[in-house]
Amino acid sequence: MKLLAVAGARPNFVKIAPLMREMRSRRGLESVLVHTGQHYDERMSRLFFEELDIPRPDVDLEVGSGTHAVQTAEIMKRFDPVLRREKPDAVLVVGDVNSTIACALTAAKEGVPVAHVEAGLRSFDRTMPEEINRVLTDRLSDWLFATERSGAENLRREGIASERIFLVGNVMIDTLRRHRERSEQSAILETVRVSSRGYAVLTLHRPGTVDQPELLGPVLTAIAELSRELPVIFPVHPRTRRVLESGAGAWLACGGSDIRTIEPLGYLDFLKLLAHARLVLTDSGGIQEETTVLGVPCLTLRENTERPATVEEGSNVLVGLSAERILSESRRVLGGAFRPGRIPALWDGRAAVRVVDALVGRTQRSAFSEAPARVGMPDHAATQPLENIVAEPT
Ligand code: UD1
């Protein structure tokens, strides 16, 4: 069996690492890795390949940045000949970035089955480009691997046959568990001159937050105020840096504030920074999950989340973009009001094993009948059952 795996942007790299490791450990399974080049900076891409031991990509499409339409179309144009040349039995995509939908759509049109890891997450907010990518990728996928129960339930509600839905856990957490101990060797706390639990971490990169000055201004003002009580370490995404350089940076600098802006960090430095933080403020999706596993308080600067398990079970609180709420919730945490919560089911470091087991047919479901018929994959019916990994119908 030949699988073609796709990664394009920073969060994809964290997810693809355990999948590549697992695929390459299986006899009889050939895997090809395609990097779309959506992210290309040293600190947004190459550093992650090195730190996470991701094999060097077999193909680099080098698409770079652009509008959504240009970036998506350019990935499709460049991915199409690769697909025809490699003739994989299936394409594996992860997450919800433009690379995910572009490659899923190209594969589906070529009649190549698609496996989507991190399927079913829904913010129900179509103003988020990622939500559009998620909905469309799931529509096109033959295997849908959900990280949390809500994802499996959303897919069922959308009419996707339960035989295609697998609740497998979270490959991003596979990576966290694998590297957590090693991350302790990072000297990042000394580099940014803070002590354990003596600082907050801030990340902001979503267009919905950073591209609208009327929203960003009050958020940064509130965080500048918070930083008078607790230093705030702010690794700045390239998109956000542009916004700060074009004037928004002034909001960070109210009297007595202590917001330390730094370059984007590699995986190990960032994991250590998160693990020792007193508080994390973010508009990222993945960081909501990582803080849940680390048991660190997370305030999500958005009105919704596609990852409800982090709120219902984990350490995440949705605070939106209101300055008062950001400050009052931060002060509540600093005052000791914090419930560490629990880790969602199957976020145990073995999600990639379950994904690959399902792909090679070692699960009880035999329902991918049209996929094997199209591409001649192994007979799933003759395989070993695995308990507990297939989502129950809702
Ligand atoms: C993308 C994903 C988002 C994910 C984020 C993680 C989409 C629609 N969005 O957003 O879901 O959370 O990645 O970072 O796919 N840039 C660089 N160097 C790079 C990459 C980007 O300077 O290596 C700059 C460019 O100016 C670019 C901008 O960042 O225009 C945005 O990059 P882009 O890939 O379009 O989206 P992200 O905001 O990174």
Side-chain angles (χ1 to χ4, degrees):
M1 187 182 190
K2 181 173 181 178
L3 289 173
L4 198 155
V6 175
R10 185 169 59 177
N12 285 176
F13 307 142
V14 181
K15 293 166 197 168
I16 211 74
L19 291 163
M20 289 308 298
R21 182 172 306 106
E22 192 56 34
M23 285 190 283
R24 299 244 159 133
S25 75
R26 304 280 180 116
R27 261 214 235 119
L29 181 59
E30 186 187 348
S31 58
V32 174
L33 178 60
V34 175
H35 187 332
T36 66
Q38 176 174 347
H39 284 174
Y40 43 85
D41 282 352
E42 171 79 17
R43 287 171 165 273
M44 301 291 285
S45 175
R46 206 165 69 87
L47 191 50
F48 284 76
F49 277 74
E50 278 171 21
E51 289 190 343
L52 302 180
D53 295 323
I54 306 170
R56 183 190 289 271
D58 300 287
V59 181
D60 192 340
L61 303 179
E62 297 182 334
V63 291
S65 302
T67 63
H68 286 274
V70 166
Q71 193 174 57
T72 309
E74 202 55 49
I75 296 168
M76 290 181 71
K77 260 170 70 185
R78 296 182 191 199
F79 187 57
D80 195 33
V82 175
L83 209 50
R84 287 162 190 263
R85 187 177 72 230
E86 296 290 340
K87 298 188 176 38
D89 294 310
V91 166
L92 174 72
V93 296
V94 297
D96 56 14
V97 302
N98 287 344
S99 302
T100 312
I101 176 61
C103 294
L105 181 52
T106 313
K109 293 234 174 179
E110 284 296 313
V112 179
V114 176
H116 184 206
V117 173
E118 203 182 87
L121 294 181
R122 297 288 181 268
S123 65
F124 303 101
D125 174 3
R126 291 277 173 105
T127 66
M128 287 177 79
E130 294 83 359
E131 181 73 357
I132 297 170
N133 294 343
R134 289 180 204 120
V135 170
L136 295 180
T137 303
D138 287 341
R139 233 34 241 177
L140 299 170
S141 294
D142 301 85
W143 290 270
L144 297 105
F145 295 109
T147 51
E148 58 170 274
R149 193 155 287 280
S150 78
E153 284 163 4
N154 291 332
L155 294 169
R156 289 283 298 142
R157 208 174 306 116
E158 290 173 16
I160 292 173
S162 58
E163 292 83 4
R164 293 172 177 237
I165 305 168
F166 293 78
L167 181 62
V168 291
N170 194 324
V171 290
M172 199 170 220
I173 302 309
D174 290 6
T175 297
L176 184 151
R177 290 189 183 280
R178 183 178 179 86
H179 294 283
R180 174 68 191 98
E181 203 177 312
R182 181 154 76 105
S183 74
E184 275 305 301
Q185 292 163 18
S186 153
I188 188 66
L189 302 195
E190 294 77 28
T191 307
V192 296
R193 293 173 288 107
V194 289
S195 54
S196 184
R197 308 282 169 234
Y199 61 94
V201 174
L202 169 67
T203 82
L204 290 172
H205 77 283
R206 291 197 179 276
T209 327
V210 302
D211 288 354
Q212 300 182 62
E214 68 281 9
L215 296 180
L216 183 63
V219 169
L220 293 183
T221 308
I223 293 170
E225 174 123 10
L226 168 68
S227 76
R228 292 175 172 157
E229 295 157 44
L230 187 72
V232 175
I233 310 302
F234 183 13
V236 185
H237 183 283
R239 170 194 289 280
T240 312
R241 181 162 299 280
R242 273 209 317 262
V243 175
L244 295 180
E245 283 169 359
S246 65
W251 281 309
L252 297 176
C254 73
S257 66
D258 186 4
I259 301 185
R260 304 181 195 168
T261 57
I262 57 175
E263 290 292 309
L265 294 175
Y267 185 79
L268 297 172
D269 283 343
F270 190 66
L271 180 53
K272 178 152 184 196
L273 196 65
L274 277 186
H276 288 264
R278 178 92 176 270
L279 168 68
V280 173
L281 303 113
T282 188
D283 65 355
S284 152
I287 293 173
Q288 298 170 42
E289 299 181 332
E290 289 166 336
T291 46
T292 277
V293 171
L294 294 167
V296 170
C298 177
L299 303 184
T300 293
L301 308 177
R302 286 172 43 190
E303 305 299 338
N304 52 53
T305 180
E306 61 286 337
R307 292 161 160 92
T310 62
V311 175
E312 288 155 16
E313 300 179 59
S315 59
N316 187 20
V317 180
L318 275 184
V319 296
L321 296 175
S322 128
E324 294 88 69
R325 183 100 204 276
I326 293 169
L327 267 177
S328 63
E329 286 294 331
S330 300
R331 287 186 173 132
R332 256 166 47 84
V333 173
L334 299 192
F338 168 62
R339 168 189 66 84
R342 62 172 189 270
I343 297 175
L346 302 174
W347 291 18
D348 58 0
R350 294 186 51 77
V353 174
R354 298 187 186 102
V355 168
V356 179
D357 276 346
L359 288 171
V360 300
R362 286 192 49 221
T363 58
Q364 72 265 49
R365 302 288 178 151
S366 58
F368 301 118
S369 46
E370 65 269 47
R374 267 190 284 167
V375 297
M377 282 194 293
D379 176 8
H380 297 280
T383 57
Q384 205 57 45
L386 274 182
E387 292 299 320
N388 253 346
I389 74 157
V390 179
E392 293 304 321
T394 52

